[in-house]
């Protein structure tokens, strides 16, 4: 005899999460690319750096980080006294995994005297081997703050190429990329424009240079949220991961946001689900732990960026 399988009701799961979070003294942080129901239950939704900085200042002993591993690690580095939970321990970032700490050490040996800039989309171990961190919102400021005429930049070659347009320094880029943004092609932008002729195009700087050339604005996910609040545009084609549309539509319900491509989805970002958040709060696992000797050095690279 088969037993009927019942799908848990999202409203019931969300209430259970709220109850557990209160009992555990936990705060839920969710990235802009998370599933709609996860964004709805979160206490804060934001870009990768906003969330990590939030982790350091929020009250609560426990952070449930609804995002991917490098973000949860950054939160653990900035809030070492807190317990950081990542509801799916397999939620990684393939771009962050394109460079290891050993790769960075070898690369720096090949280019002595050049400072190393690492995108926030790197492991804490890689950050520990770099001089300064950057996000998609501040690469030009970070690179231009350095005294040397040549800098190493890892892991995103597209973000490096975008930054190169805003500096006279020579950027030596690691050959990494985000498969989600790399999959957005110029023909996708042209097709979306043909379908929505009144819309402007906003693109994330992880997109290919040929795609950025077709965009009206190039913005980080946090930049898109801010721009949506002030832009006179009432229709926008969004060239980034589709979860971004959830956040934008919620913030600006009177405006229309269209995906440049409906298949621009990050499978890792979608690994966090309501049942996994319940399980994480019940069991207080999986926990993200960064060894103190790595955390202390990674924190220096992040703090140097924040100081700018
Ligand atoms: P943001 O830092 O703009 O939130 O982006 C993170 C990310 O993973 C982009 O793919
Ligand atoms: Fe990594 Fe790309 Fe996913 Fe962002 S969207 S977490 S860069 S794979």
């Amino acid at each position: 005899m088969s037993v009927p399988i019942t799908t848990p009701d999202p409203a019931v799961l969300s209430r259970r999460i709220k109850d557990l979070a209160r009992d555990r003294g936990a705060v839920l942080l969710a990235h802009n690319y998370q599933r709609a129901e996860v964004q709805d239950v979160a206490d804060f939704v934001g870009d990768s750096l906003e969330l990590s900085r939030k982790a350091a200042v929020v009250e609560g002993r426990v952070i449930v980080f609804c995002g991917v591993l490098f973000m949860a690690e950054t939160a653990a580095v900035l809030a070492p006294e807190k317990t950081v939970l990542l509801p799916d321990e397999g939620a990684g970032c393939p771009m962050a995994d394109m460079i290891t700490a050993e790769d960075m050490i070898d690369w720096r040996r090949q280019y002595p005297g050049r400072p190393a800039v690492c995108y926030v989309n790197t492991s804490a171990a890689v950050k520990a081997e770099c001089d300064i961190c950057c996000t998609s919102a501040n690469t030009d400021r970070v690179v231009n703050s350095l005294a040397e005429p040549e800098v190493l930049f890892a892991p995103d070659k597209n973000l490096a190429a975008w930054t190169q347009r805003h500096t006279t320094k020579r950027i030596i880029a690691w050959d990494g990329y985000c498969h989600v943004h790399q999959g957005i092609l110029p023909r996708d932008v042209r097709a979306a424009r043909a379908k929505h002729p009144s819309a402007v195009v906003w693109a994330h700087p992880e997109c290919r240079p040929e795609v950025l050339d077709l965009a009206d604005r190039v913005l980080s996910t946090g930049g898109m949220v801010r721009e949506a609040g002030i832009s006179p545009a009432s229709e926008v084609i969004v060239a980034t991961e589709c979860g971004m549309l959830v956040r934008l539509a919620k913030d600006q319900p009177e405006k229309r946001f269209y995906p440049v491509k409906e298949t621009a989805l990050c499978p890792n970002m979608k690994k966090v689900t309501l049942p996994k958040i319940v399980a994480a709060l019940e069991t207080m696992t999986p926990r993200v732990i960064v060894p103190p000797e790595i955390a202390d050095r990674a924190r220096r690279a992040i703090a140097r960026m924040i100081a700018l």
Side-chain angles (χ1 to χ4, degrees), residues 44 78 94 99 175 200 235 241 250 272 290:
F44 298 100
L78 294 177
I99 186 162
D175 190 20
V200 296
E235 290 185 72
E241 208 275 346
K250 203 167 166 186
V272 176
V290 181

Side-chain angles (χ1 to χ4, degrees), residues 88-169:
D88 186 314
E89 62 190 335
C93 167
M95 173 162 72
D97 293 341
M98 287 178 184
I99 186 162
T100 64
E102 291 70 32
D103 292 333
M104 180 54 84
I105 293 167
D106 286 349
W107 200 35
R108 296 198 70 159
R109 275 203 203 108
Q110 287 171 43
Y111 291 97
R114 275 72 156 196
V117 178
C118 63
Y119 189 23
V120 69
N121 295 40
T122 45
S123 67
V126 168
K127 290 185 180 78
E129 301 303 332
C130 291
D131 297 289
I132 187 163
C133 197
C134 73
T135 75
S136 51
N138 62 16
T139 49
D140 45 349
R141 225 172 330 143
V142 167
V143 167
N144 287 323
S145 75
L146 300 166
E148 295 81 352
E150 291 191 339
V151 303
L152 301 179
F153 190 104
D156 187 5
K157 64 179 176 185
N158 291 335
L159 187 61
W162 172 245
T163 312
Q164 186 65 80
R165 298 184 189 189
H166 300 95
T167 182
T168 54
K169 295 181 191 297

Side-chain angles (χ1 to χ4, degrees), residues 27-296:
V27 176
L28 271 83
L29 305 180
H31 188 265
N32 292 322
Y33 294 164
Q34 288 287 295
R35 293 168 182 273
E37 65 275 20
V38 172
Q39 294 196 30
D40 285 344
V41 79
D43 297 295
F44 298 100
V45 182
D47 70 21
S48 48
L49 190 75
E50 282 164 359
L51 293 178
S52 309
R53 294 177 77 170
K54 201 81 193 172
V57 296
V58 285
E59 285 187 16
R61 301 179 300 277
V62 179
I63 303 289
V64 181
F65 207 109
C66 305
V68 294
L69 180 61
F70 77 81
M71 299 179 181
E73 275 193 346
T74 310
V77 165
L78 294 177
E81 72 294 349
K82 292 180 181 150
T83 298
V84 178
L85 303 174
L86 180 64
D88 186 314
E89 62 190 335
C93 167
M95 173 162 72
D97 293 341
M98 287 178 184
I99 186 162
T100 64
E102 291 70 32
D103 292 333
M104 180 54 84
I105 293 167
D106 286 349
W107 200 35
R108 296 198 70 159
R109 275 203 203 108
Q110 287 171 43
Y111 291 97
R114 275 72 156 196
V117 178
C118 63
Y119 189 23
V120 69
N121 295 40
T122 45
S123 67
V126 168
K127 290 185 180 78
E129 301 303 332
C130 291
D131 297 289
I132 187 163
C133 197
C134 73
T135 75
S136 51
N138 62 16
T139 49
D140 45 349
R141 225 172 330 143
V142 167
V143 167
N144 287 323
S145 75
L146 300 166
E148 295 81 352
E150 291 191 339
V151 303
L152 301 179
F153 190 104
D156 187 5
K157 64 179 176 185
N158 291 335
L159 187 61
W162 172 245
T163 312
Q164 186 65 80
R165 298 184 189 189
H166 300 95
T167 182
T168 54
K169 295 181 191 297
R170 177 172 170 252
I171 295 181
I172 303 163
W174 190 257
D175 190 20
Y177 60 89
C178 161
H179 68 99
V180 180
H181 290 87
Q182 191 74 357
I184 298 173
L185 302 175
R187 67 164 181 262
D188 299 319
V189 181
R190 289 197 193 97
R193 274 206 197 269
K195 206 165 156 197
H196 307 290
S198 310
V200 296
V201 176
W202 296 348
H204 194 280
E206 287 176 17
C207 291
R208 299 161 181 265
E210 327 70 280
V211 166
L212 300 186
D213 286 340
L214 298 176
D216 296 292
R217 297 293 310 274
V218 176
L219 297 159
S220 65
T221 68
M224 288 184 190
V225 170
R226 284 184 288 279
E227 185 64 19
I230 55 175
S231 166
S234 56
E235 290 185 72
V236 184
I237 294 162
V238 182
T240 191
E241 208 275 346
C242 290
M244 192 67 223
L245 299 163
V246 172
R247 172 72 201 271
L248 291 170
K250 203 167 166 186
D251 281 13
Q252 307 294 334
E254 75 294 351
K255 296 187 177 178
R256 310 285 284 275
F257 299 98
Y258 311 113
V260 72
K261 189 175 191 168
E262 276 168 14
T263 52
L265 292 165
C266 175
N268 282 286
M269 280 284 178
K270 306 302 185 228
K271 282 184 179 166
V272 176
T273 59
L274 296 181
K276 287 182 197 168
I277 299 174
V278 170
L281 281 163
E282 281 174 349
T283 62
M284 293 297 279
T285 60
R287 196 172 161 190
V288 175
I289 297 172
V290 181
E293 62 282 8
I294 291 177
D296 290 347

